[in-house]
Amino acid sequence: MNNTVEIKLKEQKYNGKLDMRCLANVQLELKKQGIEMNMQDIFNSIGKQDLNIVLEIAIQSILRCHKQLKRASIEDKMDFSEMENVFSFITKLAETSMPKNEGKQIEE
């Protein structure tokens, strides 16, 4: 099963993967910035379209597939003109990575 999603930033194509390692890397990076977040906080922030969190997930998911890339080279391509792209990338990552509910209702 392929859980990678493609994004095009400034005419350059990248693959990204949203998995537990990606989320752990997001937590580590946020911690360096003095922000403590658990997984639920991260998902809530995505829902609120928190730009800091959304961009961090995009960066970390790309780094999961392109280990040779430097963080700065990805950040340089994520300017305002690419934000719609980034948000749709995050949506596709979430859809691809989350378990599918095959007609079963989950009670909360």
Side-chain angles (χ1 to χ4, degrees), residues 1-43:
M1 185 162 113
N2 187 356
N3 288 339
T4 62
V5 174
E6 188 175 274
I7 183 171
K8 194 172 185 181
L9 298 170
K10 302 291 182 203
E11 303 307 314
Q12 178 75 43
K13 289 182 182 177
Y14 300 98
N15 289 317
K17 181 195 307 190
L18 181 62
D19 59 7
M20 293 308 285
R21 171 51 50 204
C22 173
L23 292 169
N25 290 344
V26 168
Q27 283 181 310
L28 280 171
E29 192 56 41
L30 292 172
K31 198 172 199 174
K32 289 180 195 171
Q33 300 173 28
I35 303 168
E36 293 276 343
M37 290 189 120
N38 62 35
M39 294 296 171
Q40 189 62 51
D41 294 334
I42 291 171
F43 287 113

Side-chain angles (χ1 to χ4, degrees), residues 1-5 91-100:
M1 185 162 113
N2 187 356
N3 288 339
T4 62
V5 174
T91 302
K92 287 180 196 152
L93 278 172
E95 289 169 358
T96 303
S97 305
M98 298 301 150
K100 307 294 180 275

Side-chain angles (χ1 to χ4, degrees), residues 29-94:
E29 192 56 41
L30 292 172
K31 198 172 199 174
K32 289 180 195 171
Q33 300 173 28
I35 303 168
E36 293 276 343
M37 290 189 120
N38 62 35
M39 294 296 171
Q40 189 62 51
D41 294 334
I42 291 171
F43 287 113
N44 289 343
S45 295
I46 294 169
K48 293 175 188 162
Q49 297 187 342
D50 180 321
L51 198 55
N52 188 37
I53 306 306
V54 167
L55 290 176
E56 193 57 47
I57 290 171
I59 290 165
Q60 294 299 335
S61 68
I62 292 169
L63 289 173
R64 288 286 293 139
C65 293
H66 301 276
K67 297 180 186 343
Q68 78 284 6
L69 280 180
K70 298 283 182 249
R71 177 187 180 92
S73 67
I74 300 168
E75 288 175 328
D76 288 347
K77 291 184 171 52
M78 286 188 179
D79 62 21
F80 187 74
S81 68
E82 294 292 347
M83 284 305 109
E84 188 175 326
N85 230 353
V86 170
F87 278 103
S88 101
F89 175 63
I90 296 295
T91 302
K92 287 180 196 152
L93 278 172

